[in-house]
Amino acid sequence: MTAEKIQQLLDKDAIRELVLLYSRGVDRKDAGLLRDLYTEDATDTHGDSFNGGAEAYCDFLERAFPHMPYSGHHVCNHLIAVDGDTGIGEVYAIAWHVIPDQQGGGGLVEDLMCVRYLDNYRRCRDGQWRFSKRLVIYDMRMQRPFHGSGEFATRTEDPSYGELA
């Protein structure tokens, strides 16, 4: 195997970790982690929910965090192509949220989405891969009343931050 092929494998693995860190950042409500995953000029488009710069997207999420008792992003298939210091990818994911019922009454709703992220990646000066562009496509979305219970481990005080530092 050539050094170029080995580097490409290392780059793809770093990009896969970037995608997993995004899931962790949203699900653990860690805005600091999320901000570190994007290039300074990055954009993020989440359907009709958000379309703009990554910093503004992180602000948008930070405002939403207190209203989401649970968020779980589960990454499935991930195709990646790398060309030097840039890459593109398509990530299939299942995103499951528990959110307030917009119809009133104080109840909660399960918000289940099958999504695809169409990503552009860039290796930055520090050698880290970051998102330079994210576009989310909603392949399927379902909402229904939530009747579950549990301790929603979504904050940065979650034990995983101590155990997996």
Side-chain angles (χ1 to χ4, degrees), residues 23-133:
S23 296
R24 185 177 202 199
V26 174
D27 297 342
R28 297 291 161 250
K29 302 179 180 183
D30 188 342
L33 172 59
L34 288 169
R35 283 184 171 83
D36 192 43
L37 303 179
Y38 289 90
T39 62
E40 289 181 17
D41 60 343
T43 60
D44 200 301
T45 302
H46 272 68
D48 59 1
S49 300
F50 184 87
N51 182 10
E55 184 67 27
Y57 174 64
C58 292
D59 292 342
F60 166 81
L61 283 178
E62 206 165 14
R63 289 189 302 275
F65 287 159
H67 307 287
M68 283 192 309
Y70 177 78
S71 173
H73 289 73
H74 308 279
V75 174
C76 303
N77 305 348
H78 189 180
L79 297 171
I80 305 166
V82 174
D83 184 12
D85 289 337
T86 63
I88 56 173
E90 180 181 43
V91 179
Y92 284 72
I94 299 169
W96 190 66
H97 306 95
V98 175
I99 57 175
D101 186 349
Q102 299 301 312
Q103 305 303 316
L108 296 172
V109 172
E110 292 180 75
D111 186 27
L112 176 67
M113 296 169 276
C114 296
V115 301
R116 284 179 295 127
Y117 297 93
L118 303 182
D119 290 333
N120 291 21
Y121 313 109
R122 186 181 322 140
R123 187 190 336 257
C124 295
R125 289 184 198 148
D126 63 2
Q128 298 297 310
W129 285 93
R130 290 187 173 82
F131 299 109
S132 58
K133 180 181 177 184

